[in-house]
Amino acid sequence: MSEVPISDDIIRLGQFLKLADLAESGADARALLDDGVVTVNGEAESRRGRQLVRGDVVEVDTPTGPISATVG
């Protein structure tokens, strides 16, 4: 699991997915959320605007296995 530093105290989930290279674009982030493959701290999440804080764990279930990143 990688830790991805953020410059502010909070970041929106859609932005974090792109920053952590879990999605290539906002459209990709939306597709991941619509497909129900994104979890935040172990709970399914579908809101691109969900606010994340340091320590939150985001996981994307990919065909090759889950990929996780921690908000730093």
Side-chain angles (χ1 to χ4, degrees):
M1 180 180 333
S2 62
E3 183 171 315
V4 179
I6 60 173
S7 58
D8 293 325
D9 291 334
I10 59 172
I11 188 170
R12 297 195 185 279
L13 179 56
Q15 293 173 324
F16 184 77
L17 289 170
K18 293 184 292 183
L19 181 65
D21 291 328
L22 299 173
E24 290 185 23
S25 67
D28 288 338
R30 168 52 64 199
L32 290 171
L33 293 163
D34 287 345
D35 290 345
V37 298
V38 178
T39 61
V40 176
N41 299 328
E43 296 183 14
E45 185 56 70
S46 62
R47 299 173 293 162
R48 190 172 57 182
R50 159 91 185 253
Q51 292 186 356
L52 305 175
V53 295
R54 287 180 176 84
D56 282 343
V57 177
V58 176
E59 183 173 285
V60 177
D61 191 17
T62 68
T64 59
I67 301 173
S68 299
T70 303
V71 180

